[in-house]
């Protein structure tokens, strides 16, 4: 018999439910039981063992095309990485680096010679690699990397060199111990001409683990989290690699040093190359969402058994109250659970779109650019949500949440870096704004912020809002909106969607007007700098709207009436929580009266009370295997009373 929580899980799992169930079964192996140790040697050894088990299960093949020895199931590959986050984020990162980033670079930037030589070894872990992009001096600004790859036509080799101290490759997962080869991003130089950033395969260690000549690696050692990931640094001192080690899908160098590329613009070529590696960003966002759900699952289960303070009964006595019965505790956890549902529906759509585009014979360029912006926005939304949700879950469990045995401090430590790797969230949010303001017109797709400020100032006028999901459903919902001041209208889905759309449209239009005005008074850079806060707000409003639309589509896909009814309440809570978070803007711009703003708060309280009896179903709907949400505090039957606590005069057992 299918329960409501089963129906919730099926709906939330989405298109790749079968993959999720397969990974759940694998993760139930005792070797994947969550653990916490700050000892990097132990943590790294455990992750290495787990990675081998995953490779043996065959899931790694999904990351690579059939003609290269894989299955070509892009959506399954991203989903697998996301699921690993429920066990150990260190494992997720190691798998993501090996099969997603390093393997993805070989697969998507290389050609047949690279696929034939490396892909099968990458799948089965015979060849362990790392992804050497970030440098000490440049992270988000990848186009300005300082490592050079200078072509020597006499030897027909590239000379890889860390030209400055800040050209050191930094924080690279796998560089400290395990990787024997690196996908190195460097400025390609022929003669006296630089052609921009390209990717090269550079061996860094021999079979015994020793650095190769000219290569110096070092260990980042202890970090704020992720003890199972051997992050390291790499410095190159005129290291020579064969001409064929250039990953040459988009550009090549002939033996005589002639540079060739089908894409003339260095910037456009760079963004095309980076765009093929989008899966890493998609995986990071999805994995952060999974970690948040684990934390909320644990904290909610604790709230459903932990009692605190007595409530007087009619007879003058009353037992202690479950902390989940306090409205303030519901307010702490239930809106975050609602946001987790919303973001997962949006993530499902993103993964599906990524799969369809990357498996298409001739993907549409505009859709690809829209995908990149969507991935950037949802990565930021998911990782910021995870940081907030895990911290709140820790605090909601009091002192118990601070104990390593209850998982939350490890999750909190491990998730911290997710807001800044695979792109700093503020930078990524600006990328979303760029897409919105320019609509990625072909002539400005590779512009700097200064360039697209000028474009936006000159051309942005009325925009046609692009719906991102379930267009027919959304239009029906919006047409049925209720614009009255009655409190009940806030629970009308069309009203909620309209409030999200109005905010997005107003912010985008007003930021364009400000850019136009500022660009007449000051330099383009100063104009952009002066409105950066406004730009970020507009992009965030867009992301919120996209997520709400995905939630609406998710509800429509649910065949179970009871689960649908519950999801409707959860969607109300998500929508009203977003409105409450930006209540000041709505009031300032007269989209909410003060009385109606108070009604938003009352509406959230109402939905929290209605969802309280279903809290267990909601977290069961996350589909987290019991072993992966295990926390000692959830098993009070394991607790024992120390002998010293036995009352005097009583025999100790």
């Amino acid at each position: 018999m299918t329960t409501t929580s089963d129906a919730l899980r099926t709906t939330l799992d989405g298109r790749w439910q079968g993959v999720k169930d397969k990974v759940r079964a694998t993760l139930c192996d005792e070797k994947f039981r969550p653990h916490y140790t700050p000892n990097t040697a132990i943590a790294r050894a455990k992750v290495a063992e787990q990675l081998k088990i995953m490779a043996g299960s065959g899931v790694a093949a999904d990351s690579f095309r059939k003609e290269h020895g894989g299955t070509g199931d892009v959506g399954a590959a991203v989903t697998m990485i996301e699921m690993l986050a429920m066990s150990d984020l260190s494992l997720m990162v190691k798998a993501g680096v090996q099969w997603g980033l390093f393997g993805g670079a070989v697969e998507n930037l290389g050609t047949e010679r690279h696929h034939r030589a490396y892909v099968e070894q990458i799948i089965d872990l015979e060849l362990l690699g790392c992804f050497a992009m970030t440098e000490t001096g440049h992270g988000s600004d990848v186009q300005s990397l300082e490592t050079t790859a200078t072509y020597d036509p006499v030897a027909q080799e590239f000379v890889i060199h860390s030209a400055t101290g800040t050209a050191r490759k930094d924080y690279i997962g796998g560089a400290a111990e395990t990787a024997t080869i690196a996908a190195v991003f460097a400025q390609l130089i022929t003669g006296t001409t630089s052609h921009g950033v390209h990717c090269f395969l550079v061996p860094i260690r021999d079979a015994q683990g020793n650095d190769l000549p000219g290569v110096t690696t070092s260990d980042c050692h202890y970090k704020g989290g992720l003890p199972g990931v051997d992050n390291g640094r790499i410095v190159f001192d005129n290291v020579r690699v064969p001409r064929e080690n250039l990953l040459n899908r988009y550009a090549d160098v002939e033996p005589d040093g002639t540079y060739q590329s089908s894409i003339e613009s260095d910037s456009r070529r760079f963004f095309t190359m980076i765009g093929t590696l989008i899966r890493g960003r998609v995986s990071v966002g999805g994995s952060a969402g999974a970690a948040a759900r684990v934390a909320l699952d644990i904290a909610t289960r604790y709230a459903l058994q932990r009692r605190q303070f007595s409530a007087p009964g009619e007879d003058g006595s009353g037992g202690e109250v479950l902390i989940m019965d306090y409205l303030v505790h519901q307010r702490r956890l239930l809106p975050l659970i609602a946001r987790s549902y919303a973001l997962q529906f949006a993530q499902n759509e993103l993964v599906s779109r990524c799969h369809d585009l990357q498996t298409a014979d001739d993907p549409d360029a505009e859709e690809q650019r829209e995908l990149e912006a969507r991935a950037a926005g949802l990565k930021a939304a998911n990782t910021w949500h995870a940081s907030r949700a895990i911290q709140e879950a820790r605090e909601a469990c009091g002192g118990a949440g601070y104990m390593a045995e209850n998982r939350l401090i490890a999750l909190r430590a491990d998730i911290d870096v997710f807001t800044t790797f695979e792109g700093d969230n503020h930078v990524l949010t600006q990328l979303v704004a760029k897409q919105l303001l320019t609509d990625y017109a072909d002539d400005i797709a590779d512009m700097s912020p200064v360039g697209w400020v000028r474009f936006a100032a000159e051309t942005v006028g009325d925009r046609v809002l692009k719906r991102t999901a379930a267009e027919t459903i959304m239009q029906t919902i919006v047409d049925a909106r209720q614009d009255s001041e009655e409190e009940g209208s806030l629970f009308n889905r069309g009203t909620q969607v309209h409030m999200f759309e109005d905010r997005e449209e107003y912010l985008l239009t007003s930021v364009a007007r400000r850019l136009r005005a500022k660009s007449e008074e000051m330099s383009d850079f100063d104009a952009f700098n002066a409105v950066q806060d406004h730009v970020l707000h507009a992009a965030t409003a867009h992301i919120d709207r996209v997520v709400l639309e995905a939630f609406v589509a998710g509800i429509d896909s649910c065949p179970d009436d009871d689960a649908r009814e519950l999801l409707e309440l959860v969607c109300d809570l998500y929508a009203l929580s977003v409105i409450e978070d930006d209540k000041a803007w709505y009031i300032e711009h007269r989209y909410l009266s003060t009385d109606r703003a108070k009604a938003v708060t009352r509406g959230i309280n109402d939905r929290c009370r209605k969802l309280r009896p279903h809290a267990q179903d909601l977290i069961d709907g996350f589909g987290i295997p019991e072993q992966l949400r295990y926390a000692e505090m959830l098993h009070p039957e394991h607790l024992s009373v120390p002998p010293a606590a036995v009352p005097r005069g009583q025999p100790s057992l």
Side-chain angles (χ1 to χ4, degrees):
M1 179 180 176
T2 302
T3 64
T4 299
S5 59
D6 290 334
L8 289 173
R9 191 190 79 174
T10 297
T11 305
L12 198 62
D13 276 355
R15 181 174 171 181
W16 279 274
Q17 182 186 13
V19 175
K20 292 184 178 181
D21 283 340
K22 179 181 178 181
V23 178
R24 284 182 181 110
T26 301
L27 295 179
C28 283
D29 187 306
E30 185 64 27
K31 289 185 173 62
F32 290 94
R33 177 179 287 275
H35 65 98
Y36 175 73
T37 173
N39 185 306
T40 57
I42 295 174
R44 291 174 182 180
K46 190 166 185 65
V47 165
E49 179 185 22
Q50 293 169 335
L51 201 61
K52 289 179 182 177
I53 295 173
M54 294 307 302
S57 72
V59 294
D62 292 331
S63 296
F64 303 90
R65 290 189 279 275
K66 291 180 181 179
E67 58 267 33
H68 304 156
T71 69
D73 195 336
V74 172
V78 175
T79 299
M80 179 271 291
I81 298 293
E82 173 188 314
M83 295 296 288
L84 294 183
M86 296 190 305
S87 171
D88 186 352
L89 285 165
S90 287
L91 172 62
M92 171 262 149
V93 171
K94 284 289 286 185
V97 168
Q98 173 68 13
W99 296 313
L101 294 178
F102 172 67
V106 174
E107 169 91 344
N108 295 301
L109 301 182
T111 53
E112 184 181 355
R113 70 191 187 206
H114 306 108
H115 303 148
R116 187 173 56 249
Y118 300 111
V119 168
E120 289 189 7
Q121 295 181 66
I122 293 171
I123 292 174
D124 61 21
L125 301 182
E126 284 185 27
L127 181 68
L128 294 174
C130 62
F131 187 78
M133 178 181 281
T134 299
E135 296 177 357
T136 305
H138 291 89
S140 296
D141 185 10
V142 178
Q143 283 183 282
S144 298
L145 294 178
E146 297 174 83
T147 301
T148 56
T150 305
Y151 185 66
D152 177 356
V154 176
Q156 295 188 24
E157 294 174 330
F158 285 101
V159 181
I160 313 298
H161 187 57
S162 302
T164 66
T166 51
R168 179 184 67 180
K169 296 296 180 181
D170 225 341
Y171 325 125
I172 310 301
E177 290 182 2
T178 55
T180 59
I181 188 170
V184 178
F185 288 78
Q187 303 285 350
L188 191 158
I189 299 171
T190 58
T192 60
T193 304
S194 176
H195 303 279
V197 173
H198 293 64
C199 189
F200 304 81
L201 294 179
V202 183
I204 59 174
R205 284 190 180 85
D206 62 23
Q208 289 70 47
N210 302 309
D211 288 351
L212 291 173
V215 176
T216 302
T217 65
S218 55
D219 198 324
C220 290
H221 295 296
Y222 290 102
K223 309 179 293 292
L226 301 174
V229 182
D230 55 322
N231 294 90
R233 303 179 174 100
I234 314 174
V235 176
F236 301 101
D237 183 7
N238 293 300
V239 176
R240 289 178 172 267
V241 298
R243 180 180 67 89
E244 292 78 12
N245 281 32
L246 166 65
L247 295 178
N248 63 330
R249 178 180 177 184
Y250 295 103
D252 207 351
V253 174
E254 295 298 312
D256 65 358
T258 302
Y259 179 84
Q260 295 182 338
S261 176
S262 59
I263 306 174
E264 292 185 9
S265 165
D266 288 353
S267 292
R268 190 183 298 276
R269 186 186 317 111
F270 168 78
F271 283 113
T272 300
M273 291 191 293
I274 294 300
T276 67
L277 305 177
I278 191 174
R279 272 189 260 171
R281 192 165 284 166
V282 176
S283 297
V284 166
S287 298
R293 293 194 297 277
V294 171
L296 290 169
D297 181 294
I298 292 171
T300 303
R301 291 181 194 281
Y302 185 70
L304 292 171
Q305 69 181 43
R306 171 71 167 171
R307 295 180 181 273
Q308 196 74 273
F309 301 109
S310 298
E314 292 182 2
D315 59 355
S317 64
E320 289 185 302
V321 179
L322 283 171
I323 57 176
M324 198 65 192
D325 288 335
Y326 291 106
L327 177 61
V328 68
H329 212 78
Q330 296 165 20
R331 269 282 200 152
R332 297 177 75 177
L333 296 179
L334 290 176
L336 293 171
I337 291 173
R339 190 176 290 263
S340 282
Y341 268 85
L343 286 168
Q344 186 56 36
F345 283 126
Q347 178 72 11
N348 289 347
E349 284 195 358
L350 177 66
V351 172
S352 189
R353 179 171 292 195
C354 180
H355 173 89
D356 292 343
L357 277 174
Q358 293 205 341
T359 56
D361 292 333
D362 186 23
D364 181 80
E366 181 180 350
E367 288 188 17
Q368 176 66 30
R369 290 190 285 265
E370 289 180 355
L371 172 68
E372 291 164 16
R374 180 82 61 86
L378 285 178
K379 184 269 180 181
N382 261 310
T383 54
W384 269 327
H385 166 66
S387 290
R388 176 186 171 195
I390 295 171
Q391 177 64 26
E392 193 65 52
R394 205 296 296 160
E395 293 182 23
C397 294
Y402 200 58
M403 301 297 291
E405 63 191 13
N406 294 322
R407 285 211 70 191
L408 296 174
I409 62 164
L411 284 168
R412 186 180 63 176
D414 290 346
I415 204 65
D416 193 31
V417 74
F418 278 57
T419 59
T420 52
F421 79 5
E422 275 294 324
D424 175 89
N425 281 358
H426 288 89
V427 175
L428 295 183
T429 306
Q430 290 178 55
L431 290 180
V432 176
K434 171 185 173 181
Q435 190 266 335
L436 293 171
L437 287 168
T438 62
D439 209 23
Y440 273 117
D442 287 341
D443 57 340
I444 51 79
D446 58 359
M447 276 187 183
S448 66
V450 169
W452 62 264
V453 164
R454 188 177 298 117
F455 178 89
E458 294 171 354
T459 63
V460 172
D462 293 334
R463 297 173 64 255
V464 177
L465 184 142
K466 292 184 178 179
R467 300 212 184 276
T468 57
E471 184 172 353
T472 303
I473 303 166
M474 292 302 304
Q475 192 58 53
T476 301
I477 285 173
V478 172
D479 289 344
R481 71 180 186 268
Q482 299 172 1
D483 292 332
S484 70
E485 282 287 314
E486 294 180 12
E487 191 162 319
S489 69
L490 288 170
F491 297 135
N492 177 272
R493 189 74 67 234
T495 300
Q496 295 164 1
V497 171
H498 199 244
M499 291 179 72
F500 277 50
E501 290 179 350
D502 280 351
R503 180 177 61 141
E504 177 186 347
E505 289 297 288
Y506 185 97
L507 284 166
L508 285 171
T509 302
S510 58
V511 78
R513 285 199 303 266
R514 285 187 66 196
L515 282 170
R516 184 179 296 116
K518 295 289 184 184
S519 64
E520 293 172 356
E521 303 170 2
M522 57 189 73
S523 71
D524 290 327
F525 174 80
D526 288 338
F528 167 74
N529 211 28
V531 301
Q532 243 183 332
D533 57 336
H534 197 155
V535 166
L536 293 172
H537 196 176
T540 300
H542 170 74
I543 296 164
D544 288 338
R545 194 258 299 176
V546 166
V547 172
L548 179 59
E549 289 186 359
F551 205 146
V552 171
I555 294 172
D556 186 67
S557 72
C558 180
D560 183 272
D561 290 341
D562 291 338
R564 278 174 67 100
E565 185 177 346
L566 199 53
L567 286 171
E568 293 283 5
L569 295 175
V570 177
C571 191
D572 282 344
L573 184 54
Y574 166 71
L576 293 178
S577 296
V578 171
I579 293 169
E580 185 181 57
D581 287 345
D582 209 9
K583 188 188 291 185
W585 183 89
Y586 279 103
I587 294 173
E588 287 173 1
H589 294 81
R590 300 182 181 179
Y591 282 89
L592 277 179
S593 65
T594 53
D595 286 343
R596 195 161 166 79
K598 294 175 183 176
V600 171
T601 299
R602 290 194 296 271
I604 292 173
N605 291 345
D606 175 82
R607 286 315 186 235
C608 283
R609 282 190 289 266
K610 282 185 167 59
L611 288 171
R612 162 62 188 91
H614 306 285
Q616 179 85 46
D617 283 334
L618 291 177
I619 56 174
D620 284 347
F622 288 159
I624 301 165
E626 182 176 0
Q627 175 172 293
L628 300 185
R629 54 173 163 76
Y630 184 89
E632 289 292 333
M633 64 184 176
L634 300 182
H635 299 274
E637 68 273 12
H638 294 172
L639 301 179
S640 59
V641 179
V646 176
R648 291 185 180 179
Q650 298 292 325
S652 59
L653 299 178

